[in-house]
Amino acid sequence: MTTETTDTITIRFFARLREELGAEQLTVPAQPGLTTGQILAELARRGGPWAQLQGSQPVMIAVNQTMAKPSTAVQGGDEVAFFPPVTGG
Amino acid sequence: MISIQTEDFDPAAEYAELRDSGAGTGAIATFTGLVRDSGDMKGVTGLYLEHYPGMTEQVIGNLIETASSRWSVRKARVIHRVGRLALQDQIVFVGVCSAHREDAFAACQFIMDALKTSAPFWKKEITASGEHWVEQKESDVARSKTWE
């Protein structure tokens, strides 16, 4: 049994998303049953460049540095990252 | 072993390290990727590379583990550079040593192909008229899928 040390979730953005949103990191309050998809939808409601989080371009999701899906549940202390499809190599 | 670094690397030194893996080694396959002058745009003068520290190393570590479960891998080495790179700079190195060439070739190519579509790196092309993020290629995704 672990005790949460924080009641917020850290959101990180990378590459094109980071630049277009003008945001590298932000925090949102943790809520029971919250999913990464719900966080995306909530952020997209800010409008402007944020609307692309639910646009036609794919957004990749990682939770605690492991690839995740919009249905992945998150809790306080988690690190959620949103980024464009990767292009290394 | 995995290195994400801004500094250049020496393929000869990496080869020597791989070769120093015991008498059972019969094959070493290496791949080195270079920055070229055309990608999404023509007239590319350089690249800028970003990564997700921590996650990148973890993903590549998993790829090496997967490769080692599918082929006989005695040693594997991945180096990926980040930051600002000039034309013809070395950007990525994958080296695998194995008892046999089939395993060395396959594991090396698998790691490279899978890295391109699953490791969190993002490339930005720099041209005389500005900078833009590179879009993921369908062909890279298709190549990576052939290993599934």
Side-chain angles (χ1 to χ4, degrees):
Chain A
M1 186 84 180
T2 57
T3 309
E4 289 305 328
T5 52
T6 171
D7 53 3
T8 60
I9 293 156
T10 302
I11 316 287
R12 300 179 68 179
F13 303 99
F14 288 93
R16 179 174 51 73
L17 272 185
R18 175 176 45 75
E19 286 189 352
E20 290 176 1
L21 301 178
E24 188 168 341
Q25 190 167 316
L26 52 86
T27 56
V28 298
Q31 292 160 29
L34 186 66
T35 64
T36 60
Q38 286 166 358
I39 295 172
L40 273 180
E42 186 59 41
L43 292 172
R45 271 196 283 275
R46 293 178 171 196
W50 297 88
Q52 68 177 297
L53 294 174
Q54 284 207 307
S56 54
Q57 299 239 53
V59 174
M60 298 181 85
I61 305 165
V63 174
N64 298 330
Q65 307 197 344
T66 299
M67 291 308 297
K69 296 175 176 170
S71 58
T72 304
V74 288
Q75 52 187 340
D78 283 349
E79 175 179 288
V80 177
F82 297 122
F83 46 79
V86 307
T87 56
Chain B
M1 205 178 121
I2 302 153
S3 300
I4 314 298
Q5 60 190 47
T6 53
E7 310 84 58
D8 197 11
F9 52 84
D10 177 4
E14 299 304 329
Y15 176 88
E17 281 275 326
L18 288 166
R19 190 179 171 193
D20 185 26
S21 54
T25 294
I28 298 175
T30 69
F31 171 82
T32 307
L34 307 180
V35 177
R36 62 162 185 262
D37 64 0
S38 65
D40 280 8
M41 306 274 272
K42 284 186 177 162
V44 173
T45 58
L47 285 183
Y48 173 78
L49 270 125
E50 179 174 330
H51 78 300
Y52 185 169
M55 181 171 174
T56 312
E57 291 84 343
Q58 213 167 290
V59 169
I60 296 172
N62 290 341
L63 293 180
I64 291 174
E65 260 180 49
T66 302
S68 304
S69 70
R70 291 172 69 168
W71 299 283
S72 152
V73 173
R74 294 175 62 85
K75 214 181 210 182
R77 175 81 166 120
V78 175
I79 307 172
H80 204 299
R81 292 178 70 195
V82 292
R84 210 161 267 274
L85 298 179
L87 292 184
Q88 294 192 295
D89 273 358
Q90 302 182 124
I91 177 169
V92 61
F93 176 90
V94 179
V96 173
C97 68
S98 173
H100 304 288
R101 72 179 184 281
E102 291 89 347
D103 295 81
F105 272 135
C108 183
Q109 190 161 13
F110 163 79
I111 292 169
M112 189 59 223
D113 286 350
L115 180 154
K116 279 190 84 84
T117 55
S118 67
F121 290 104
W122 300 273
K123 271 196 284 218
K124 189 190 244 186
E125 288 178 351
I126 301 160
T127 70
S129 58
E131 305 180 353
H132 70 278
W133 292 100
V134 173
E135 295 295 327
Q136 191 173 55
K137 306 284 179 297
E138 263 314 307
S139 56
D140 286 338
V141 175
R143 268 218 67 85
S144 189
K145 279 198 165 64
T146 61
W147 295 102
E148 281 170 12

